[in-house]
Each structure stands twice: as structure tokens, then as C-alpha cells.
Amino acid sequence: MQREFDLILQGATGFTGQLAAAELAKQAPADLRWAIAGRDASKLKTLSEKWQVPFVVASGLDETAVDQLASRTRVVISCAGPFARFGTPLVEACVKHQTHYADLTGELPWIHQLIQKHHKQSTADGTTLIPASGFDSVPTDLTVFHCVRHLQGEQPGDGENSTHSTVDVGALTGQYTLRGGFNGGTLASGLELYEKYPEVMQGFNWEVFEVPVLNRWAAPFLMAPVNEWVVRRSAALLDEAGVGYGKNFRYDEFMTAKTRGRAAMLARILKLVQYLMSKSWGRETLRLFGPKPGKGPSKKSRERGFAKLHIIHSGNREVGKLSMTGDPSNLITTRCLVQVGLALAAGEAQRGGVVTTAAAFGDTLISRLRLLGDQFVIK
Ligand SMILES: NC(=O)c1ccc[n+]([C@@H]2O[C@H](COP(=O)([O-])OP(=O)(O)OC[C@H]3O[C@@H](n4cnc5c(N)ncnc54)[C@H](OP(=O)(O)O)[C@@H]3O)[C@@H](O)[C@H]2O)c1
């Protein structure tokens, strides 16, 4: 496909957008023709001089501008959220022009709408659309994929698809240990989501329980509803292709703490957030006192962050682990999004449709992240 650009980064002026541009400048192959985009020409001009790449002005709400943007490139990656507010015309333009697309949304009702409207057409056209290509939910999706393939008896990470089977792996549990900050953009997206769709707060497992195999305690995890849904979608898409996870497969996710008391405190904090989100005065309070759009953790705190995900089989055996360095919301998120974008630009996606990273790439994306130091380990 001949286009002016291989890849355009939309929302490049925001907090994650600027980090994604820095990551692209580091990781893009020398011959990749990439550009940055956003709604503010003067901010874009400064950044385009910094990274020595062209820029495109396109507000997410201007249908003509995003239509032109999508027609000029083979791939779009987007950090312009809340996505339910700014993202729909861009996805529509990508489907129309058969431009591959990935973003950072965790807004499940919006992803459901994209599937309903665009999955069939984009599957037929071979256009790959991958929402949730940040910390939610690439690390979870790929680690579960990797462990399932191992449990099904395949040598993990060998890049071959020929021996995948649908051997049933039963129940897996993901246990996260994390250190990281929180962005104003994430809070803005969360507030908007819960205002429109209060029911999304219902998906938590509130259990606090001991995980003897890790010598830690499990607590409910804010991102679990999104990550669990993405894993279920991967399982369903792979099952359609005859290479699923088995019909009794299930996946639940938690975050861990050293003691029962700390795990119970994490659960209480999440309950409080849920309560505040459910009230309009609570949302106003969070908007007033929480981080503002465009703001996020300091460089030092981004560099001190990390994420570890342990995968437990049948509640008692650790089968695999992922270790990633950097603040999950920012460094891990932009590393994942940029690699998804580069993989799309390199023609590595195995299918079209509104899909997940496990269904589109599987082992090839794991290999890309491994080259950057992310450790996918089978126990
Ligand atoms: N998946 C994950 O793990 C993960 C992690 C972090 C963030 N996120 C999500 O990523 C999104 C961005 O987060 P952030 O921290 O980078 O937020 P942010 O700093 O507030 O950035 C938002 C971006 O959207 C742009 N924007 C606003 N209105 C627009 C419009 N009409 N057209 C085009 N662009 C527009 C902003 O442009 P201006 O600069 O001109 O204002 C800015 O570039 C949020 O939805 C957040 O929830 C996901």
C-alpha cells in the first residue's frame, strides 16, 4: 500500500503522547516514515522540531481532518483520550481507508461499540484495529497467551503456529505486583467512563485471599475488568481460528500485597474510589483534587516503576511470569503501544478485525518486547 507515511502518532502532545514520540524516535527503523498529529499546531510544531518529523493538525472531533489523516498513512497509533469522546471519527476513517490502528483505551463500552460497528468490515478488509494496546492490556494478554501455549505443550516463543492446539488449560489467575503513578488523562477517561456507564464498576472480584505459592496476599485490582475481558476476547478469537485456550479456560486477575492488612487496605481504597465515582459530587471532588489532563508522574518516579505478573495455574502452581521495568501507566504503556504500531507497520498482524495483541501477533510481539528487556519466563 503506497501512502505518504508508514505511521502517524495521534495525540502526540499529551503526557503519554510525548513519551510515545520519544520511544518512536528511539525504536523506529531508520526508513520508517512517521509523523506526529494532534489538535494544537503550535505544540506540534515544537515537538516536530524536537523529533525532526513532520506533523499533521487534526482534531479528533473534525471528521474531515481525521479522514485525511487516515488516508495519508498505513498505520495510526493514538494517545488522544478519553477515546469515547475524541476517538470515534478516527477509527471510522481508519476502517474506511483500511489503515491499521492501535490505541490506549481501557473504555470497555467504547470497545464494544467498535466491535459491533467495525469488526465484520475490518476483518473482511484485513484492517487490524487493536484498542487497549497499553499497560492495559498488552502485558496480561501476551503473558496469558505465552503460558497457555506452554501448558498446551508447545515450546514457547518459537514463532511457529503449526502445533497450536485447543487443549484445555482450565483456570489461570494473574497476580500483579506494581509500582507506578497515575496520569491526569487516565483520571479524565475514568471519570467520563463511570459517568456514562456506571455499571462498569461492577466487574470487580472483591476477595482478599492468601497466595501461598507467592507468599503474598491478593487484593482486587483496578485494571482487572479490562484485562480479564481482553483475555476472554483473545481466547474467543483464537478459538474461532481453531487455536483457542479450551472451553473450560478462565482467567481472573488481582494485585498482591505483602500482608493481609495491606491487601485489605487496597480493597478498601478501591471501594472508596468506586463510591466516589458513583456520585456526581464524588467525581467533581476527584476532578478538582486529582491530577489534571496533561499531567503525570515525574521522570524519576517513571523510571523507578515496574510491573510483575505471576500466572498461577489451578490456584497452586506458578507457571509463568512477566517482569517489566518502568512506570506501568507511562513507560510500559508507550513501549507496548509503539511496538504494536511498529509490528502493524512491518506487516506482522496475522488477521484483521477489532482484535487483541494475542490474536493479532502472539509470539512475534513477545519477541519484540523481549528484545527491549521485558522478561517473559516459563517456570
Ligand atoms: N492503557 C493504558 O495503560 C493507559 C495508560 C496511560 C494512559 N492511558 C489513556 O491514554 C489517554 C491519554 O492519557 P494521557 O495521560 O496522555 O492524557 P493527556 O496528557 O490528557 O493527553 C490527552 C491527549 O489527547 C489530546 N486531545 C484532547 N482533545 C483532543 C481532540 N479534540 N482531538 C485530538 N486530540 C485531542 C490532547 O491534546 P492537547 O495536548 O492539545 O490537549 C492530548 O494530546 C487517556 O485516555 C488515558 O486513559 C491508557
Side-chain angles (χ1 to χ4, degrees):
M1 194 195 286
Q2 279 309 313
R3 298 261 168 107
E4 184 183 352
F5 297 112
D6 295 311
L7 184 150
I8 292 183
L9 167 63
Q10 168 68 326
T13 55
F15 199 83
T16 53
Q18 294 195 41
L19 293 169
E23 181 70 7
L24 262 174
K26 252 200 283 177
Q27 304 299 342
D31 60 351
L32 189 93
R33 297 159 307 151
W34 65 281
I36 54 173
R39 62 176 172 172
D40 184 322
S42 71
K43 284 192 206 167
L44 285 168
K45 188 165 180 297
T46 310
L47 291 171
S48 109
E49 281 160 11
K50 178 172 178 186
W51 301 116
Q52 297 286 297
V53 290
F55 69 92
V56 177
V57 182
S59 162
L61 301 173
D62 180 339
E63 288 178 20
T64 312
V66 292
D67 188 83
Q68 281 171 6
L69 185 157
S71 73
R72 292 171 69 183
T73 181
R74 295 168 47 240
V75 176
V76 170
I77 58 175
S78 179
C79 297
F83 291 86
R85 181 150 23 127
F86 306 131
T88 306
L90 180 57
V91 176
E92 277 167 8
C94 286
V95 174
K96 177 177 157 193
H97 293 288
Q98 300 183 14
T99 302
H100 302 306
Y101 169 90
D103 70 28
L104 293 184
T105 190
E107 298 155 54
L108 280 183
W110 187 66
I111 303 178
H112 282 292
Q113 285 170 22
L114 298 188
I115 292 169
Q116 271 167 8
K117 272 204 236 160
H118 302 301
H119 182 63
K120 201 167 160 203
Q121 186 63 48
S122 53
T123 301
D125 294 340
T127 310
T128 309
L129 310 168
I130 314 185
S133 284
F135 177 62
D136 48 314
S137 298
V138 177
T140 293
D141 195 26
L142 292 182
T143 309
V144 171
F145 172 85
H146 190 56
C147 291
V148 169
R149 290 295 182 244
H150 171 73
L151 288 167
Q152 288 176 329
E154 189 196 291
Q155 280 298 312
D158 63 3
E160 296 288 335
N161 290 319
S162 53
T163 56
H164 289 173
S165 71
T166 51
V167 172
D168 216 320
V169 298
L172 297 183
T173 312
Q175 299 284 358
Y176 264 109
T177 312
L178 302 166
R179 179 158 69 202
F182 201 72
N183 292 14
T186 306
L187 179 61
S189 296
L191 290 168
E192 180 142 336
L193 182 66
Y194 294 123
E195 196 161 350
K196 281 196 191 141
Y197 304 98
E199 70 279 4
V200 295
M201 265 303 205
Q202 307 308 318
F204 290 106
N205 184 335
W206 292 104
E207 260 180 292
V208 167
F209 61 95
E210 194 172 8
V211 189
V213 66
L214 300 178
N215 197 20
R216 293 179 76 89
W217 286 79
F221 177 37
L222 184 64
M223 307 321 301
V226 180
N227 289 342
E228 290 166 0
W229 181 87
V230 167
V231 167
R232 284 199 296 277
R233 178 142 181 88
S234 290
L237 290 166
L238 290 165
D239 196 51
E240 266 172 34
V243 288
Y245 297 172
K247 70 177 187 316
N248 293 317
F249 170 77
R250 53 173 296 190
Y251 177 71
D252 296 294
E253 194 167 270
F254 301 87
M255 82 182 282
T256 71
K258 270 193 186 142
T259 62
R260 184 194 182 106
R262 286 181 78 100
M265 191 181 73
L266 289 171
R268 278 198 294 274
I269 291 171
L270 194 56
K271 278 246 169 190
L272 177 65
V273 171
Q274 186 189 44
Y275 179 72
L276 291 173
M277 287 285 202
S278 72
K279 308 281 175 201
S280 61
W281 63 263
R283 290 192 293 273
E284 273 321 301
T285 309
L286 290 170
R287 202 170 272 128
L288 205 60
F289 295 106
K292 304 286 175 284
K295 301 285 179 216
S298 68
K299 184 166 188 285
K300 195 170 158 201
S301 118
R302 293 197 302 268
E303 283 167 358
R304 281 193 351 222
F306 68 84
K308 285 189 182 146
L309 172 61
H310 301 265
I311 303 292
I312 315 292
H313 188 222
S314 304
N316 57 17
R317 180 168 70 99
E318 186 179 5
V319 288
K321 183 176 139 183
L322 169 66
S323 299
M324 299 179 109
T325 57
D327 173 42
S329 291
N330 290 287
L331 297 188
I332 294 179
T333 282
T334 50
R335 187 152 82 240
C336 290
L337 179 68
V338 163
Q339 287 307 316
V340 170
L342 294 178
L344 288 171
E348 290 168 15
Q350 291 163 17
R351 59 163 300 161
V354 182
V355 297
T356 61
T357 50
F361 304 114
D363 287 330
T364 56
L365 191 58
I366 292 175
S367 302
R368 281 181 166 274
L369 291 168
R370 275 186 164 149
L371 284 175
L372 300 176
D374 296 323
Q375 293 172 30
F376 292 82
V377 178
I378 292 295
K379 292 273 178 172

